[in-house]
Amino acid sequence: MNMPTSGPRVLLKRLREVMAESLGAQDRLDKIVRHIAANMVAEVCSVYVLRSDGVLELFATEGLNPGSVHEASLKIGQGLVGTIASTARPLNLSDAQHHPAFAYLPETGEEIYNSFLGVPILRAGRPLGVLVVQNQAQRNYRDDEVEALETTAMVLAELIAAGQLEGLDKKGAGLDLSRPQRLEGVALADGIGLGYVVLHEPRVLVTNLFNENAEFETRRLHESLGKLRISIDDMLERPDVARDGEHREVLETYRMFANDRGWVRRMEEQIVNGLTAEAAVEKVQSDNRARMMRQSDPYLRERLHDFDDLAYRLLRELVGKPHGPLKEKSTRDYIVVARNMGAAELLDYNGPQLRGLVLEEGAPTSHVVIVARALGIPVVGQVQNVLSLADTDNAIIADGLDGEVYVRPTEEIQSAYSEKVRFRAKRQEIYDKLRDEPAVSKDGVAVNLLMNAGLLMDLPNLERSGAKGIGLFRTELQFMVASHMPRPNEQENLYSAVLEAAGSLPVTFRTLDIGGDKVLPYMRHEQEENPALGWRAVRLSLDRPGLLRPQIRALLKAAANRELRVMIPMVSETREITAVRKLINREVELLTRFGHSVPRRLAVGAMIEVPSLLFQLDELMQAVDFVSVGSNDLFQFMFASDRGNPRIAKRFDPMSRPFLRALRRIVDAAARFDTPLTLCGEIAGKPISALALLGIGFRSISMSAVYIGPVKAMLIETDIARLEQALLPELDKPSGGQTMREFLTDYAAQNGIPY
Ligand code: PEP
Ligand code: MG
């Protein structure tokens, strides 16, 4: 009988033999790279080990110039190898030299190799090095080859962690976790948080890789799967979960996945190949992560993310440390650090000691970020490497204003930030005192200060902030944080709760604004070249009455016998308003016919977010009961400047003449037709830009609840008539001299207006 000479089982057997031989660490490493090269028919196999100073040093190679061992090196994040270490993800390239991250190391002689497959060497989630194979011919490595290399990387992690490799300093391999680190990311939710690191997924160290008895390991796997299923069922029984719709959905998805045959089979296969149960779980989990990275479909990405979380829970079952964060809450202030997490998972951590969230991924529209904003905690996202550099109980600062993170900050940094936090708290006390003061300017002009909301947890802020109503209720948030399409009764329940909380204060509900950057994971959608300009908001709603009609019905029922204000997002032409109005009227008719009560008064408004409306303002004002400027989108479209792209975030200024002139035209048109006007974009919440809005004639603005105080403090000190006199002539000046922002800050400073 011919014995196989390659494949995962043979490779594992070989590795096991090498680990059992009495060899020095370096010899073992050399032997392993030779075996891998032979097993995978690769011309090159190399191991790079991460030193404590963040440099990846070539420690062994088969195929590259032997003289480059211990000579060739790359910094973490640099070149393909450095990228793999910093992202903790594999790279599989058929034409490596043309990859944007490629960095040429002349001493290695690698210029003749085109194909490249590299995997991170991880121990408990932390990078210790990178394992690479290369071939001259252009080829894509198969999935089973990626798997074989990952398995080898697990073995190498043990070898490196044993600490016997020469040439590493006292601290051994891996990054130095005692030094202070300042990391840059993207500010996703306002505020500053100081505390200690809580890792969302505390590291689980799998040291026992090779099994002695596959049957025994398979049994262990199934026992733990059984316990996992029971623990999910238990959580579903918990009274708080039973109540909380958003959280429940996630757990139900987990329950479904915990019974997924394909997942279980892949783990069983790894055990048959020779791994222990925990190594098999970890192995399948890293395959999943690699697939997750390649997956551009947001729906499938979310599903793979759920699997990732579940695999992690299973791993904790196997090593006897069942999943903790739900129960174990820290007794001191903490900041949660994660690669990414679901919205419901963040709610598990909520409590007075939760001070911030730091993510390696995360975007302004991530569900978890939306929820964090509602909870009022700062979030810094896209912080590369933070999981490798931060450890449980390290001191950490999350600066959600500047998008910075300090891990193990120095005393100076800590005290500077503590001072900042104290200062902000003092200011907040002043704002709290203003809560019941009327929102009236120094010269007696009343201004309507409203708040933006979208989740149940926003509602207590209505009273806390002293807002005079909800100027923008983003109904899509309920859809975005759920794991399934909210049913009509769930929509109605939310709208009723909102109206009840608002009492006699007005609430403006915006119909679904999905599409573009607001993706529903459970709704199939086609990839679009320019999603922001694509099939979204009212365009999608009108094409899918099956979505809009139940929402309108839920709104009409929730607002029975009171006023209902409905606002349409992303209107481009007035006939879209007519179409929505028609649909609403038909629903009113139907409800009345079936004996339901309907709202006492109905107001239909449009958001001004698309520049085309600026050239049909007269028609628009006559077609609606009110308008509200969505300045975030209006600005993005007027300046052709993606609102979510940090590279251009500060390039153009909404406080510039062209944009303020456009807003002024809207104010004039609204006044001509006596159409109520509000503005509900981010600029309403910054005192300096709100000052500009007052100066050009806005008397109603809507913002996040936290900004009501600062804006009111500005308003009280402003003489609006004087401001108008000074500002309007400035608007007509050519650019080149003082910018509008400079003019406004000077004006505020000279007139004692806090901004
Ligand atoms: C806006 O575009 O200004 C707006 C308020 O809507 P959103 O931020 O939800 O797109
Ligand atoms: Mg918008």
Side-chain angles (χ1 to χ4, degrees):
M1 195 172 77
N2 273 343
M3 294 300 285
T5 55
S6 63
R9 261 159 111 171
V10 175
L11 181 62
L12 263 185
K13 191 158 169 283
R14 292 267 178 284
L15 292 172
R16 193 176 187 151
E17 285 162 6
V18 177
M19 294 303 278
E21 281 176 49
S22 57
L23 288 172
Q26 181 71 44
D27 291 341
R28 230 191 276 275
L29 207 54
D30 293 340
K31 211 160 178 181
I32 288 176
V33 291
R34 281 203 298 279
H35 273 306
I36 304 166
N39 187 277
M40 292 187 58
V41 202
E43 284 134 16
V44 172
C45 176
S46 318
V47 176
Y48 295 81
V49 178
L50 181 60
R51 301 191 316 227
S52 61
D53 57 358
V55 170
L56 288 144
E57 177 180 321
L58 181 64
F59 255 73
T61 184
E62 171 75 8
L64 293 184
N65 174 12
S68 60
V69 172
H70 300 303
E71 295 298 326
S73 66
L74 287 154
K75 278 209 180 112
I76 190 161
Q78 184 194 7
L80 299 176
V81 167
T83 303
I84 293 167
S86 66
T87 56
R89 305 247 165 98
L91 271 180
N92 182 355
L93 308 166
S94 60
D95 185 8
Q97 308 203 16
H98 290 101
H99 189 280
F102 181 80
Y104 174 49
L105 296 177
E107 63 273 34
T108 61
E110 66 177 339
E111 60 274 18
I112 53 173
Y113 300 104
N114 290 301
S115 317
F116 174 103
L117 169 62
V119 299
I121 301 172
L122 300 172
R123 189 172 149 93
R126 241 187 241 300
L128 290 186
V130 175
L131 172 63
V132 175
V133 290
Q134 288 169 280
N135 280 83
Q136 283 190 32
Q138 287 207 356
R139 55 167 301 210
N140 260 311
Y141 296 92
R142 296 186 311 270
D143 282 353
D144 62 310
E145 293 176 303
V146 181
E147 286 200 19
L149 211 59
E150 283 176 337
T151 308
T152 314
M154 287 167 80
V155 177
L156 287 177
E158 289 314 300
L159 198 159
I160 297 171
Q164 280 147 11
L165 282 173
E166 270 178 40
L168 295 175
D169 62 21
K170 285 192 298 302
K171 295 200 179 86
L175 295 169
D176 179 357
L177 295 182
S178 58
R179 274 202 318 220
Q181 296 277 356
R182 176 182 164 274
L183 304 171
E184 282 182 20
V186 177
L188 296 179
D190 251 16
I192 293 172
L194 274 80
Y196 293 88
V197 172
V198 166
L199 293 175
H200 175 49
E201 298 186 346
R203 303 172 204 290
V204 178
L205 192 55
V206 177
T207 49
N208 195 4
L209 300 178
F210 303 117
N211 75 43
E212 301 297 331
N213 179 337
E215 259 176 49
F216 173 72
E217 292 299 320
T218 310
R219 239 190 347 265
R220 282 187 61 225
L221 175 70
H222 281 276
E223 273 168 20
S224 294
L225 271 167
K227 281 192 206 149
L228 176 70
R229 289 175 191 136
I230 291 171
S231 77
I232 296 174
D233 287 346
D234 284 351
M235 279 192 274
L236 276 162
E237 300 280 308
R238 272 177 22 187
D240 54 336
V241 171
R243 266 201 329 269
D244 180 350
E246 286 148 13
H247 191 168
R248 189 177 179 84
E249 303 304 336
V250 175
L251 288 173
E252 274 174 355
T253 315
Y254 283 0
R255 174 151 66 181
M256 190 176 80
F257 286 156
N259 290 295
D260 185 279
R261 276 306 308 157
W263 182 51
V264 177
R265 198 185 56 242
R266 282 190 292 141
M267 292 187 288
E268 287 169 344
E269 277 168 11
Q270 294 297 335
I271 295 178
V272 173
N273 284 342
L275 294 182
T276 56
E278 46 270 52
V281 176
E282 197 172 51
K283 181 70 196 33
V284 171
Q285 190 180 14
S286 62
D287 299 345
N288 250 338
R289 283 195 183 139
R291 282 202 284 158
M292 191 151 71
M293 192 186 58
R294 291 196 298 268
Q295 190 51 256
S296 56
D297 181 327
Y299 173 81
L300 292 175
R301 262 184 87 101
E302 286 276 325
R303 296 288 71 84
L304 288 168
H305 179 74
D306 287 341
F307 263 123
D308 195 40
D309 187 46
L310 200 65
Y312 167 71
R313 284 171 194 244
L314 179 57
L315 203 54
R316 303 221 359 134
E317 282 294 347
L318 273 163
V319 297
K321 290 185 192 157
H323 195 65
L326 292 176
K327 292 166 227 125
E328 307 159 9
K329 284 207 177 137
S330 176
T331 49
R332 50 186 185 172
D333 290 348
Y334 63 93
I335 289 177
V336 178
V337 180
R339 191 173 296 284
N340 211 342
M341 63 160 64
E345 291 169 297
L346 180 63
L347 293 175
D348 282 344
Y349 289 101
N350 191 26
Q353 253 123 11
L354 173 63
R355 291 303 160 124
L357 177 65
V358 174
L359 300 172
E360 282 205 351
E361 298 176 358
T365 47
S366 304
H367 305 172
V368 67
V369 174
I370 295 168
V371 169
R373 283 197 206 117
L375 294 176
I377 59 164
V379 183
V380 187
Q382 295 167 37
V383 187
Q384 274 195 14
N385 266 328
V386 65
L387 279 175
S388 310
L389 290 165
D391 214 347
T392 304
D393 288 337
N394 283 170
I396 185 169
I397 297 171
D399 179 343
L401 301 172
D402 291 332
E404 289 177 351
V405 172
Y406 293 85
V407 184
R408 300 174 292 272
T410 57
E411 261 177 42
E412 293 80 36
I413 294 278
Q414 285 217 37
S415 62
Y417 268 95
S418 304
E419 187 49 43
K420 255 192 204 182
V421 169
R422 266 195 301 277
F423 178 68
R424 282 170 65 89
K426 260 204 216 119
R427 258 197 340 206
Q428 189 54 47
E429 276 174 27
I430 299 173
Y431 301 145
D432 288 346
K433 287 204 191 103
L434 289 180
R435 199 189 65 161
D436 299 319
E437 296 284 312
V440 175
S441 71
K442 208 170 174 180
D443 55 337
V445 181
V447 176
N448 203 16
L449 300 183
L450 304 164
M451 72 171 240
N452 296 344
L455 294 170
L456 266 180
M457 60 185 105
D458 288 321
L459 298 181
N461 289 331
L462 194 51
E463 212 197 312
R464 220 174 281 153
S465 67
K468 285 292 168 260
I470 298 180
L472 166 65
F473 190 88
R474 294 181 162 104
T475 61
E476 65 276 3
L477 296 194
Q478 182 190 21
F479 286 66
M480 286 169 72
V481 299
S483 61
H484 73 177
M485 183 80 76
R487 289 181 269 273
N489 69 320
E490 291 169 325
Q491 295 179 44
E492 189 187 329
N493 288 345
L494 173 66
Y495 306 150
S496 300
V498 174
L499 289 169
E500 197 180 322
S504 60
L505 301 176
V507 180
T508 301
F509 290 98
R510 178 171 73 185
T511 60
L512 274 184
D513 185 12
I514 50 173
D517 55 351
K518 298 169 183 171
V519 179
L520 303 185
Y522 44 82
M523 196 170 118
R524 294 244 147 239
H525 73 286
E526 312 237 324
Q527 290 281 354
E528 293 179 301
E529 188 120 344
N530 290 303
L533 309 178
W535 192 54
R536 51 176 297 199
V538 69
R539 304 166 186 185
L540 189 150
S541 296
L542 285 174
D543 291 352
R544 289 275 178 276
L547 211 60
L548 182 57
R549 217 181 289 139
Q551 177 175 42
I552 295 292
R553 210 174 300 155
L555 284 167
L556 290 167
K557 283 173 156 178
N561 302 316
R562 56 175 291 168
E563 180 183 44
L564 174 64
R565 297 168 59 81
V566 178
M567 180 156 74
I568 313 167
M570 289 289 296
V571 173
S572 314
E573 15 177 69
T574 49
R575 68 190 161 115
E576 289 162 328
I577 304 164
T578 323
V580 175
R581 226 190 243 283
K582 221 161 122 190
L583 188 141
I584 298 178
N585 289 341
R586 213 167 35 229
E587 290 307 317
V588 171
E589 227 171 82
L590 275 174
L591 285 178
T592 318
R593 198 180 315 152
F594 287 102
H596 289 281
S597 308
V598 291
R600 195 163 25 82
R601 206 181 102 77
L602 179 70
V604 179
M607 290 198 70
I608 304 183
E609 305 186 273
V610 181
S612 66
L613 285 189
L614 296 177
F615 303 93
Q616 42 187 323
L617 283 171
D618 290 7
E619 202 180 307
L620 171 74
M621 297 299 170
Q622 295 173 75
V624 293
D625 300 314
F626 63 92
V627 284
S628 184
V629 181
S631 54
N632 305 336
D633 276 313
L634 186 62
F635 182 71
Q636 122 161 308
F637 295 129
M638 265 187 66
F639 280 74
S641 172
D642 183 346
R643 63 192 266 188
N645 185 340
R647 285 224 173 131
I648 47 172
K650 298 210 169 95
R651 197 176 184 98
F652 307 109
D653 190 355
M655 286 304 93
S656 58
R657 288 183 173 84
F659 196 62
L660 294 179
R661 286 176 195 154
L663 296 181
R664 174 73 190 168
R665 284 176 76 142
I666 298 171
V667 172
D668 286 345
R672 268 201 311 282
F673 291 91
D674 216 7
T675 307
L677 165 71
T678 297
L679 182 144
C680 57
E682 298 297 316
I683 56 171
K686 309 229 162 42
I688 194 71
S689 45
L691 179 70
L693 295 177
L694 298 179
I696 54 177
F698 280 88
R699 295 295 175 262
S700 173
I701 48 181
S702 190
M703 65 206 85
S704 293
V706 287
Y707 300 130
I708 301 264
V711 169
K712 199 190 267 185
M714 174 277 289
L715 171 68
I716 290 172
E717 295 301 332
T718 302
D719 182 325
I720 292 189
R722 278 192 56 200
L723 169 70
E724 278 180 346
Q725 267 175 17
L727 185 136
L728 292 178
E730 280 298 315
L731 261 190
D732 295 329
K733 287 190 179 162
S735 62
Q738 202 184 25
T739 65
M740 284 307 287
R741 187 171 288 275
E742 285 161 355
F743 165 79
L744 285 158
T745 38
D746 281 359
Y747 182 88
Q750 282 161 17
N751 291 280
I753 299 170
Y755 63 94

